[in-house]
Amino acid sequence: MEWCYFVGHIKAESGNLYGYELSFFRLKFSDGDSWNPELYPVHFAISDLSKKRHYTSQTIKRNLGDLAGNKENRIFSGEYEFQILSKDQFFIKAKPKSGEIALELSLEGNGNILSHGKDGISIKSKRNPKIFSYYYSYPRLKTKGSLWIEGKKESILSGDSWMDHEWSEKASKNIPTLAKGQSGWDWISLMDDKGGDYVFFRFRESSKVSPEIFGTYRDVRGKVTYWSDVSEIQMEPMGIPWKSENTKIEYPLQWKIKYPGGEWIVSPIFNEQEFDGSDSTKTIYWEGAVKADDPIQKKSAKGYLELKGYQKSKDWWEF
């Protein structure tokens, strides 16, 4: 199982502000080299941060004919595509047939990829170290291009995107735990106004055990710090959960994250940013643009929050 996804805060020439999510998934049923069926779901969302409206689209294709697949410098599935132009330059496109939303964005990085864990091996549970993924991020991708919302084109002049790339292998025996059953997680990426990048991950192996929390921090000078001990990092929901009118699922959208020397207070830019993936991966989760303030270190941040596992478990590969 492999997934590569982009989220970002972007600004249009009109002055309107948007958030977006474009997630490419790949599920392979065998580790063999010969051809075997693969699935390529895609989740796509645009959050109109100015008008507080959320739009979504999705697809799922097989690697049959030229419907979906991956090559050395390209991932595609139906009307969605991710191109690797160079080590630090990318192009993403989403043009679903509905025409309600679409985007074409050029992304350019500064070469500073952020690995999570030793050698990029991200342990999800200290109780069960076999639950892991290979994981790296590429924060602060400078973003320009075009966006369409309700058929109206917007020119994107600036923005910051964040790419995450994770994969796991059948041989690691972690797919059944990460992808199916009772597991869930709360994930957040933050880019602060002083040049620091953060990832916080709260893993819930099941409802019967307490969550485990991990953090990655890279300061403006490039120094990377990992946190995993409860004496270093805590991540707890605040306030009253928000209940979706569409799915009736409740999500904790406000969070307090304590880390050495600081404390983030995280809140959504608006609540209605749920993604119902029933037509592709069968999963329903909340993923949306958030803002954060640290009253101790006197700084602010913008980012994205994902809440997975708040729906009842379904008999499918849950990402």
Side-chain angles (χ1 to χ4, degrees), residues 107-139:
L107 313 174
E108 184 171 0
N110 55 15
N112 296 323
I113 291 174
L114 177 60
S115 295
H116 301 281
K118 184 179 179 181
D119 300 324
I121 298 175
S122 175
I123 303 296
K124 308 302 184 186
S125 171
K126 290 178 288 184
R127 289 187 291 259
N128 185 359
K130 291 184 178 181
I131 304 175
F132 71 92
S133 68
Y134 302 94
Y135 180 18
Y136 68 90
S137 301
Y138 204 154

Side-chain angles (χ1 to χ4, degrees), residues 183-202:
S183 66
W185 54 78
D186 311 301
W187 168 92
I188 184 169
S189 65
L190 294 174
M191 296 176 284
D192 74 27
D193 57 3
K194 299 184 184 299
D197 301 317
Y198 299 79
V199 172
F200 299 104
F201 189 83
R202 184 176 184 259

Side-chain angles (χ1 to χ4, degrees), residues 187-228:
W187 168 92
I188 184 169
S189 65
L190 294 174
M191 296 176 284
D192 74 27
D193 57 3
K194 299 184 184 299
D197 301 317
Y198 299 79
V199 172
F200 299 104
F201 189 83
R202 184 176 184 259
F203 180 65
R204 293 172 277 113
E205 185 175 352
S206 75
S207 59
K208 298 178 182 179
V209 298
S210 59
E212 297 183 86
I213 303 162
F214 303 84
T216 301
Y217 168 54
R218 182 174 64 190
D219 66 21
V220 67
R221 296 178 297 276
K223 180 183 177 182
V224 179
T225 304
Y226 301 107
W227 301 307
S228 61

